């Protein structure tokens, strides 16, 4: 599975209710990006700090403007991909969170990303 950033875009999500993305036109899968006012380096450090506090989450890949984490569910050991793209032009953090298997996620990806957004905003204030 090839993830990452191509032409300032994260991989598109499918029209399934098991993912969210800031870069999709699919209404039920769309979330707004996280704005930042400092440089992308500080914002990246803040996201890494927020992610480090989460259980069963490991950093899989890191690049200058990109982070890819994998979260493993507690009971069934399902894996979800969580990506962040730090867009310096727009000064926002785009993200994509998607379950690898299944059709539905019961809102897990949306709740996770809202929790991350809230923790990021609380940390930078």
């Amino acid at each position: 599975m090839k993830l990452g950033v191509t032409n300032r875009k994260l991989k598109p999500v499918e029209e399934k209710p098991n993912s969210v993305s800031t870069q999709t036109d699919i209404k039920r899968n769309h979330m707004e990006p996280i704005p930042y006012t400092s440089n992308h380096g500080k914002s990246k450090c803040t996201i890494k700090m927020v992610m480090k506090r989460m259980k069963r989450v490991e950093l899989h890949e890191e690049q200058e403007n990109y982070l890819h984490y994998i979260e493993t569910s507690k009971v069934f050991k399902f894996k979800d991909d969580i990506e962040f793209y730090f867009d310096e032009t727009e000064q926002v953090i785009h993200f994509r969170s998607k379950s690898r298997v299944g059709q539905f996620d019961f809102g897990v990806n949306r709740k996770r990303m809202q929790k991350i957004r809230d923790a990021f905003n609380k940390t930078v204030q």
Side-chain angles (χ1 to χ4, degrees):
M1 171 185 351
K2 177 70 174 130
L3 299 178
V5 179
T6 304
N7 297 324
R8 299 181 57 215
K9 297 279 186 191
L10 295 166
K11 183 177 178 178
V13 294
E14 300 162 340
E15 198 163 333
K16 292 181 183 178
N18 70 349
S19 62
V20 293
S21 173
T22 58
Q23 295 181 318
T24 185
D25 293 330
I26 304 167
K27 189 173 183 172
R28 75 169 169 226
N29 300 76
H30 184 265
M31 290 182 77
E32 290 299 315
I34 303 168
Y36 63 87
T37 54
S38 61
N39 64 50
H40 93 274
K42 281 187 174 184
S43 298
K44 185 176 172 184
C45 286
T46 303
I47 286 290
K48 288 174 74 172
M49 183 174 53
V50 167
M51 297 302 288
K52 192 172 188 172
R53 294 181 197 146
M54 296 177 67
K55 296 177 182 176
R56 299 177 310 280
V57 174
E58 75 176 56
L59 180 60
H60 181 70
E61 182 180 352
E62 179 174 358
Q63 296 177 10
E64 177 69 23
N65 290 336
Y66 174 78
L67 295 169
H68 175 203
Y69 288 87
I70 299 172
E71 181 173 351
T72 305
S73 68
K74 186 176 183 178
V75 177
F76 295 109
K77 306 298 181 202
F78 294 134
K79 296 192 182 298
D80 291 353
D81 293 292
I82 307 162
E83 299 177 278
F84 299 94
Y85 165 54
F86 299 83
D87 187 330
E88 292 182 87
T89 305
E90 294 181 34
Q91 284 211 276
V92 297
I93 305 167
H94 286 289
F95 57 81
R96 176 184 184 272
S97 182
K98 183 178 183 318
S99 302
R100 289 186 180 179
V101 296
Q103 183 77 9
F104 299 98
D105 71 347
F106 303 101
V108 169
N109 285 290
R110 182 172 296 279
K111 289 174 193 166
R112 175 192 303 122
M113 297 314 297
Q114 188 59 54
K115 182 179 172 181
I116 291 168
R117 176 196 309 275
D118 293 346
F120 177 87
N121 289 334
K122 187 176 183 178
T123 302
V124 295
Q125 290 180 354

